[in-house]
Amino acid sequence: MTTSSEIRTTVLRVFLRLVIFVLAGLLVFHHSLMLYELHLETGNNAHALFDYVQSVCRALITVSLLLVVFGARWALWGMWFSIGGLVATQYWAHFGDLPVDFTEGRHPLSYLKGFIFPTVISLAFHCSSRPRDVDVDEVA
């Protein structure tokens, strides 16, 4: 028979895994769509170095998030590395005066919001994968 604390722990872990799944799914969809629009949509095919660097970052984000969804703890490092690289390219565009539209009228700190979802995903992953505390009465 299970105790109510075990049920609460199980429900919490399922909820945290659902949070990871939903947030990672949104990010995978967003970055996949951005890659599709850049490389497969008809339009300007003359891409700059900036576009290629961002494409590599977006592809790495997508792969690492898929691995995180499947429970690979080390993939969190890849997620953080690739998202950090993407934010760095946004600062490169902002302060390097590159001819891109997304920098117009944006405050330099606005690019840091790209770290919100990865932070929530990392915290949820950490909390959902922690082993259950063993009660002293259960051991004896």
Side-chain angles (χ1 to χ4, degrees):
M1 196 168 199
T2 61
T3 64
S4 63
S5 65
E6 290 174 337
I7 293 172
R8 280 193 299 255
T9 302
T10 303
V11 168
L12 179 64
R13 285 188 179 172
V14 168
F15 174 73
L16 291 173
R17 295 303 295 175
L18 183 64
V19 166
I20 292 169
F21 182 76
V22 168
L23 293 180
L26 286 171
L27 288 174
V28 166
F29 176 75
H30 170 73
H31 291 293
S32 298
L33 186 64
M34 296 294 287
L35 286 169
Y36 172 79
E37 287 178 354
L38 181 65
H39 294 290
L40 298 177
E41 222 175 49
T42 58
N44 184 10
N45 289 332
H47 300 299
L49 174 64
F50 174 77
D51 295 325
Y52 290 118
V53 171
Q54 278 210 323
S55 294
V56 168
C57 289
R58 289 183 191 282
L60 289 173
I61 289 169
T62 302
V63 169
S64 64
L65 283 170
L66 288 173
L67 290 170
V68 166
V69 165
F70 290 114
R73 183 176 202 82
W74 57 269
L76 287 172
W77 287 98
M79 175 192 72
W80 279 104
F81 177 74
S82 53
I83 289 175
L86 186 66
V87 170
T89 62
Q90 291 171 343
Y91 277 112
W92 172 29
H94 188 86
F95 293 115
D97 293 327
L98 296 179
V100 291
D101 295 333
F102 70 85
T103 60
E104 293 178 25
R106 288 188 71 177
H107 191 275
L109 293 178
S110 69
Y111 304 111
L112 296 178
K113 70 181 176 187
F115 292 123
I116 294 172
F117 278 12
T119 301
V120 173
I121 289 170
S122 295
L123 290 173
F125 194 93
H126 175 70
C127 293
S128 70
S129 63
R130 284 192 354 208
R132 185 177 72 82
D133 295 330
V134 177
D135 195 20
V136 176
D137 296 333
E138 291 178 2
V139 175

